Amino acid sequence: MMKRLLFFCILFLLLEGPARVSAQPETALLHFDKSFYVAGEVAWFQLYLPAHLQERSFAPHLTVVDPAGKTVWETFLDTKGKVNCSGYYEIPYELDAGFYQFHFTARDAERRSTELINAVVPVYSDLKPLPGDVAVPDTSYFYDGSEPAAKLLRVDIRPDGNAPVSPRQPVSLHITVTDRDGKPVEAVGSVSVRDERLTGRAVLYKSAIFTGDELPGNARWLPDAGWAGTALLPDGKPLQTPLLAALDVETNEVHFAETDANGHFLLRVPPYSGMRRIQILERSGTRIRVDWEKDTTRFVRTRLPYTPGILEYLEQSRKRKKIYQLYAAVETKLQRAVSVLPVTEWETRRSYPVQDYERFPDLATFFQEVVWMVKFSSHKGAYKAGMYNTAQLEEFGHAPLFLLDNKATFDADFIARLKPADIDTIDLLYEPKLLRKHFPAIGSGGVIRIKTLRRNGVLPSEQEANIFPAARIYAGGAIPGDRSGRVRTRTAPCALLESGAPDRRAGQGDDHVQPPGRPGRFHCGNSGTGTRRGKGD
């Protein structure tokens, strides 16, 4: 079947002098590779920033919010001093259908959060067939040339030849960018392709291109991950302390934040890879509660529109997933970098393989009978603990820190009542020099590391509540590619373009872009062998 395709471009001018500055917008722009998505697909996006943010590295925070206002995913990006960055969101298969917000913010050192852009994106589900009568009238509309780039530039997109395009047919495009005087322009941009017979008027092209508010020219946003919160005591009063500890559960690295008179704090963590868990604790063991500040989002609940083309797309998507399930494969295989976590390792002269000893009723008895350096004492039915300082030949002046499968607690009564039958090893760290190096402030009373046999130790619920999953910093969000220098996408026809510049590498798939040496000219090829059926490309 023949198709009519719409090509949408966002292009940014590269700064080469004062005359070029005015051509770039002072707002953020966000470009998705598709007008809508289906649960289980990958949403690729490209974020463009104003020219005045060039050379200012900061970490935009992306929050994905479902129709009920609940955060379903979050991450940090890294601009690396550029005016564009990109990434993707792997939409879970079980995600409910509805409009989802992609909310981008940035935070400064004063805890202030600035909205960069907010996009509302339709996500469909193909888990259950839908009745055909839910479809809205399929009134096709034609591109009017009113997207942001058209106001600043002239973009000419020409395919090789004038023959109609059929599904999965190889297509090559020649894209020329000129200014209003017809002169070639050096630019960075992205291109997405939409079949208007699929979406009709119900899902407009603007659902793939979004514009934010004007951004301040004097912004100084954080270059690392930052979370704002409030530390409260059990009675609800704010905790004011110069050293609020934040322990990285995966690596045992310790970070600190300062709380003000209202208990407000800003936790900053240097760039990291992989998923982390951060545990907040008061350095002397005082029980606290942490309330995290959430980004404010505005959301209007709207029913998803269904065109006959979208209904057909969902039916084909459901069949396609069954085929991949049959062959135990995935449609979009992403290449992920392996995260190597720099775990804090410390050698101990005293390690106790608990399973080699006779069974004791609880850990308090085990320590009493086996580990002479740690003393548990009971007072009014509750245990307290202390560790012997071999350097000073006396007991440490502070309570020891326990690490139960890397989770920190000062709760000696909880530890004392654990069953030795569930414990693998117990290690002691007591040298003052090593304590200051690995566990500053929080380890001044010694550290006792306890590893369970299953490595799944759980702290009391009020302490577990202070452990939160830290959104990863997305180190590189370019569309996947290979070493040939071609931009290739298998998930959707979207490409990052840069004229007159070195080849850009991106993911794997079959669409590709080859930027020539002449400014303003691109060559974009789509081999037509992507995994989606042609009507959806």
Side-chain angles (χ1 to χ4, degrees), residues 153-168:
L153 309 169
R154 294 180 180 177
V155 183
D156 182 40
I157 304 176
R158 297 180 183 274
D160 284 342
N162 297 318
V165 180
S166 300
R168 299 188 180 278

Side-chain angles (χ1 to χ4, degrees), residues 350-367:
R350 300 191 182 275
S351 182
Y352 301 88
V354 178
Q355 298 303 307
D356 291 350
Y357 294 85
E358 64 177 278
R359 289 288 185 264
F360 293 100
D362 50 40
L363 277 190
T365 307
F366 179 87
F367 277 98

